[in-house]
Amino acid sequence: MTQFTEAYDFGGRTLVDPSGEKIGTIVEVYAVSEGGRPEWALVHSGLLGSSKSFVPLRGASPTGEDVRVTVDKKTVKDSPGVEGGQQLAEAEERRLFEHYGVPYTAE
């Protein structure tokens, strides 16, 4: 299990799925406001890193220089589009949680 402090060192690392397939590069780690636990990673993927996706960090673990998550590359690729650096609307946030099967609770 990922330690709380380790997740903040994920920036710039390659994110891989359970089979080891590269998903993209972690740009930023987002924490839940209550308790500050790292919850999501913003990942650049696609040709020249042109796509941005949020990926849940629940169950993520460092694997050498990479970070392995529990969701597969196709699930990330099919995730709702997002823009990093701005607040997600509640409807966008809910869609993201539902896509990954993460229980949603509005904060």
Side-chain angles (χ1 to χ4, degrees):
M1 182 65 175
T2 304
Q3 295 297 313
F4 174 82
T5 54
E6 288 177 1
Y8 289 108
D9 295 331
F10 286 175
R13 289 191 183 192
T14 298
L15 194 75
V16 297
D17 75 2
S19 68
E21 191 169 352
K22 180 181 177 179
I23 295 172
T25 303
I26 299 173
V27 178
E28 200 165 342
V29 173
Y30 291 86
V32 293
S33 22
E34 221 172 272
R37 184 180 73 253
E39 191 83 23
W40 296 89
L42 180 63
V43 178
H44 277 197
S45 59
L47 188 61
L48 302 175
S50 57
S51 297
K52 296 178 189 173
S53 303
F54 275 112
V55 180
L57 289 175
R58 181 174 292 158
S61 60
T63 306
E65 292 297 313
D66 299 336
V67 176
R68 187 177 307 269
V69 291
T70 59
V71 297
D72 63 32
K73 183 175 181 172
K74 181 175 179 354
T75 302
V76 174
K77 184 178 179 182
D78 295 342
S79 70
V82 295
E83 291 295 323
Q86 63 182 352
Q87 187 77 19
L88 288 178
E90 186 176 340
E92 294 171 315
E93 188 176 70
R94 184 178 302 275
R95 219 172 23 252
L96 193 60
F97 275 68
E98 287 173 356
H99 175 76
Y100 286 111
V102 175
Y104 178 77
T105 54
E107 294 185 50

